[in-house]
Amino acid sequence: MRRTTEQHDPMAQLYCGLDAEHSRSAVSVILKLRGETCDIDCLYCYEKRKEAPGGARIDAGQVRRLTELFSGRPLAVELHGGEPLTAGRDHVAEVLRELAAQPSVVRVSMQTNGVLLDEQWLDLFDALCPSLQVGISLDGDAAGNAWRVGYDGRAVYPRVADTLRLLAERGRRAGVIAAVTPAVLGRAEAVLDHLAGFEAVNAVSFVPCFDASVQGPTAAQGRRLPASRLLQFAAVRGTAGPAWATSPNQYAEFVLAATARWIGAGYFARLKLEPAVSTIRRLRGLDTGFCHFSNLKCDHVFTLYPDGRLGSCDELPWPQAELTRLNQVSTQGAVVAAQRRLPLLNQGKALMGRCTTCAYRSTCGGGCVATRWRQDQAGDQDAYCDYRMRMIDGTAALLTQPAHPAGAWCRRVRWHPRTPNSMRDAAAFLTRWDHPNAPRPPVRLYTSAHGNINTVGLPGVHEADDLDPAHPQWREAIEPGVRSLVDAITRDWSLVTYDSCQGHPYSGLDLQPTERRVGILPRDRTEYAQAAAALCRAVTAAATDLPAPVQLTVGRAELTCEATGRRSPVLDLTLRPAPGHGWPAYFDAVDAATRAVADALRDDRPTEGGCCCPLPQITTPTTEPRSTDAVRAEPVE
């Protein structure tokens, strides 16, 4: 195996500030055309909880001023609310004309509840902004929409479903934002099937309702409360948070079940699913435009209200997120200065400091700053990080063993990339492994004073030839401390090992100690799934026999073939120092731990059996508004 070292600035990878001097990176601008004004009254609406005065409208002049302020920087503009269509056709037409006249506006989208959308609105869009991307807020099927209601407390789902059918008739496509609440938990497959059944739907984004900290109903004007607010009042009573709230762990389980269905049903060929697509792209080392996985976070997202308030992302709490007023700044530099002195943004960025040392940071991207801030206020940052890691672990399993989706529920085999991790020619290595009569020329093997076996006989990471059990020097090439593990995997399990290390304390050297490990290169996806499940069983069996200073982990990673650039999924079995124990205690105990692990490996085999982790329970929603007509609320984006 060959490895090199790369240096990166972890914080820059996670959070990139806006630079007025470099205007090539786009910013997202959310136009709250009517503030929080809306024609329906979803019980969980985060916008109405801001209790900002409504009724006014953003006009074309404000749009023009906004584009001037950002000095030619590319702008992705979203018409939002409340409900943007309540601004009226003539007013929306003026805004669309202004956006079309601005060369810096590279994308225009609209998020709507879909209730008012009709033929006339679509005619207007076709005439003024044919490329307008329409997003519909809909939480799956009728039961899933239990919190999206009108002021009369009655369901809005039937009208929104009619709108989606109208969009299909007009040849238009739309994305759907669906909030994950208790009304859909345990029913991810059915909910995704329902949304995919609409011809117009080409994207679904499942978003969480992490609203456990919401303690009271939204304020309402007047002495007589509408039926919707009475429903909301009933839903927020109690000490466990509102009845529509879900926990981070519940959301992760839902997303994984939906992702498994998306893959298994073949929906991926025609429907984009978030956060699945962004997770997969980051697992593959690709960029994504989704800010929860990107370093273009809150400094690159702006929200404009009708009264001229300009702030950061609309998911952040207001008025704390307000930066300035549109008529009070004339340069982009002034906006950047306001960002840098805003306490809320600085607090949010500081919360990501813990991400810089996290093994998941290159895939997770740090998540959502607004959600981190809310979780921190609730004293539960760990739950947010745990859900992100859980979602990545499960998605990595689905990506590498799609025909065996049960692997997504394994809690012991986790995503743990080794970067970089490469081999000169992985395909040739696999071919040679299974052909004992293939030529195997002699290789250079030298042992360092610290026990490293490589081509130069030096401590640390150096080039080593890739050998197989049929090579005459195979036994000589395996470091003694790890031989029993390699034997169990290659002889008893008949699997391919691509890397092994007995672990080295490097006493007296300026080198970090290394752990004992064995890397497995499965021949195909079925073998991968069986090996992962067997490793989970072996880890579980060995856990009670391990000395306290050692813990056993199984990591999913990828091996890059230097000859072709192709990446193959691999599994790494690693004995690590347990929390609270240092390297000296670890090296004193690692041989005893190795014997326990080797015994557990010899007692099992990769088979069609599953791992030791329980599969999720399919549940029926039991919490919904106290109305037979109620079918549910405004999405949290």
Side-chain angles (χ1 to χ4, degrees):
M1 188 192 72
R2 303 157 67 90
R3 299 204 297 170
T4 59
T5 302
E6 293 179 347
Q7 298 294 329
H8 298 288
D9 177 4
M11 200 60 193
Q13 287 182 312
L14 295 165
Y15 196 110
C16 180
L18 189 68
D19 190 338
E21 302 301 320
H22 298 88
S23 59
R24 288 167 44 178
S25 62
V27 297
S28 297
V29 179
I30 302 166
L31 300 183
K32 299 284 186 179
L33 282 188
R34 294 293 307 282
E36 87 287 2
T37 300
C38 189
D39 54 330
I40 65 175
D41 198 31
C42 303
L43 274 60
Y44 59 45
C45 178
Y46 71 91
E47 192 62 48
K48 289 180 181 177
R49 287 203 296 268
K50 297 175 184 175
E51 299 177 8
R57 299 181 293 190
I58 289 176
D59 59 36
Q62 289 173 301
V63 172
R64 187 180 316 113
R65 177 79 186 86
L66 192 68
T67 58
E68 293 169 353
L69 177 63
F70 284 103
S71 306
R73 183 186 292 271
L75 302 180
V77 177
E78 181 175 15
L79 309 182
H80 208 277
E83 173 50 50
L85 297 185
T86 60
R89 287 191 183 87
D90 291 344
H91 194 86
V92 172
E94 292 179 5
V95 170
L96 290 177
R97 289 190 187 96
E98 186 61 43
L99 289 170
Q102 299 298 330
S104 61
V105 175
V106 295
R107 185 174 73 249
V108 181
S109 60
M110 173 182 289
Q111 188 64 32
T112 171
N113 61 41
V115 171
L116 296 177
L117 201 58
D118 58 17
E119 296 273 8
Q120 289 72 35
W121 275 111
L122 294 177
D123 288 342
L124 186 149
F125 298 159
D126 288 344
L128 299 180
C129 191
S131 62
L132 178 71
Q133 299 175 12
V134 176
I136 301 291
S137 301
L138 188 70
D139 299 340
D141 55 15
N145 279 269
W147 307 105
R148 298 188 64 81
V149 299
Y151 287 92
D152 58 2
R154 297 175 65 87
V156 299
Y157 169 84
R159 287 181 282 172
V160 183
D162 287 342
T163 295
L164 285 172
R165 286 187 276 271
L166 172 62
L167 288 169
E169 292 170 5
R170 294 286 297 254
R172 275 190 168 268
R173 297 292 177 262
V176 166
I177 291 181
V180 176
T181 70
V184 299
L185 294 180
R187 303 192 306 111
E189 297 86 350
V191 168
L192 184 61
D193 287 348
H194 185 81
L195 292 173
F198 289 103
E199 182 184 346
V201 174
N202 64 357
V204 175
S205 179
F206 286 119
V207 296
C209 269
F210 295 157
D211 286 347
S213 61
V214 175
Q215 298 298 315
T218 305
Q221 296 180 350
R223 299 177 60 184
R224 184 175 179 180
L225 292 176
S228 56
R229 297 301 168 90
L230 294 174
L231 291 172
Q232 188 192 59
F233 182 80
V236 297
R237 286 189 297 186
T239 59
W244 63 76
T246 49
S247 70
N249 182 64
Q250 288 172 325
Y251 175 66
E253 297 294 301
F254 180 91
V255 167
L256 289 176
T259 304
R261 181 63 176 171
W262 177 68
I263 294 172
Y267 293 143
F268 60 86
R270 62 180 181 86
L271 185 150
K272 179 181 179 182
L273 181 68
E274 289 290 6
V277 168
S278 289
T279 306
I280 290 170
R281 288 186 64 84
R282 291 307 298 258
L283 283 166
R284 289 177 169 170
L286 303 173
D287 290 331
T288 172
F290 192 178
C291 60
H292 293 195
F293 293 84
S294 164
N295 64 352
L296 301 182
K297 295 189 184 296
C298 298
D299 280 23
H300 286 73
V301 181
F302 295 89
T303 305
L304 179 65
Y305 281 89
D307 60 0
R309 286 174 298 153
L310 181 66
S312 190
C313 172
D314 66 336
E315 288 193 45
L316 288 164
W318 285 68
Q320 299 99 311
E322 183 177 339
L323 293 166
T324 183
R325 298 275 173 154
L326 188 61
N327 62 0
Q328 293 177 352
V329 287
S330 58
T331 66
Q332 192 174 163
V335 174
V336 172
Q339 286 180 326
R340 292 177 179 172
R341 64 174 176 262
L342 189 71
L344 185 64
L345 284 181
N346 289 323
Q347 291 167 12
K349 193 184 305 183
L351 289 174
M352 298 182 67
R354 65 189 296 174
C355 302
T356 59
T357 57
C358 177
Y360 287 77
R361 70 178 182 272
S362 63
T363 308
C364 170
C368 171
V369 173
T371 306
R372 281 192 174 280
W373 187 89
R374 289 195 295 271
Q375 292 294 117
D376 185 65
Q377 296 298 300
D380 201 9
Q381 272 284 318
D382 289 344
Y384 183 74
C385 294
D386 289 346
Y387 120 68
R388 299 282 294 180
M389 291 186 282
R390 177 77 193 94
M391 185 172 67
I392 291 167
D393 290 339
T395 305
L398 292 170
L399 190 60
T400 51
Q401 52 183 82
H404 304 271
W409 310 112
C410 182
R411 298 285 186 139
R412 294 175 180 84
V413 185
R414 309 189 65 177
W415 175 247
H416 199 282
R418 297 167 61 190
T419 306
N421 190 29
S422 66
M423 174 180 284
R424 185 177 291 109
D425 193 332
F429 174 69
L430 280 174
T431 300
R432 186 170 62 250
W433 188 285
D434 289 326
H435 291 81
N437 295 325
R440 289 169 171 82
V443 298
R444 294 172 297 160
L445 293 177
Y446 298 97
T447 303
S448 77
H450 294 263
N452 309 81
I453 299 177
N454 50 48
T455 60
V456 291
L458 294 175
V461 178
H462 296 279
E463 184 176 355
D465 289 295
D466 303 311
L467 306 186
D468 61 271
H471 196 286
Q473 295 170 277
W474 163 257
R475 193 77 178 165
E476 183 186 350
I478 307 299
E479 295 173 356
V482 76
R483 281 177 185 163
S484 61
L485 299 181
V486 173
D487 286 346
I489 291 169
T490 58
R491 292 179 183 176
D492 299 321
W493 285 25
S494 300
L495 296 180
V496 177
T497 55
Y498 76 95
D499 179 41
S500 66
C501 177
Q502 71 176 11
H504 306 282
Y506 293 133
S507 302
L509 298 182
D510 189 21
L511 289 173
Q512 283 293 320
T514 57
E515 305 148 327
R516 186 163 295 181
R517 67 174 185 272
V518 181
I520 301 171
L521 174 59
R523 297 171 176 86
D524 54 42
R525 287 177 169 177
T526 297
E527 186 174 86
Y528 179 99
Q530 293 176 354
L535 286 170
C536 174
R537 297 192 300 267
V539 167
T540 304
T544 56
D545 296 326
L546 290 179
V550 181
Q551 67 176 5
L552 182 61
T553 66
V554 182
R556 301 183 193 272
E558 290 184 327
L559 177 70
T560 300
C561 176
E562 296 170 1
T564 64
R566 183 176 180 271
R567 296 195 292 183
S568 302
V570 294
L571 296 161
D572 293 320
L573 180 67
T574 307
L575 285 76
R576 303 180 185 279
H581 296 271
W583 286 105
Y586 168 81
F587 282 108
D588 286 343
V590 71
D591 287 337
T594 300
R595 288 191 292 272
V597 175
D599 288 343
L601 291 172
R602 283 190 289 265
D603 288 342
D604 208 325
R605 296 289 187 279
T607 64
E608 294 182 0
C611 73
C612 291
C613 303
L615 295 175
Q617 299 264 327
I618 302 298
T619 61
T620 302
T622 57
T623 304
E624 59 184 55
R626 298 176 183 178
S627 166
T628 56
D629 298 315
V631 204
R632 223 215 73 169
E634 177 80 5
V636 183
E637 296 164 39

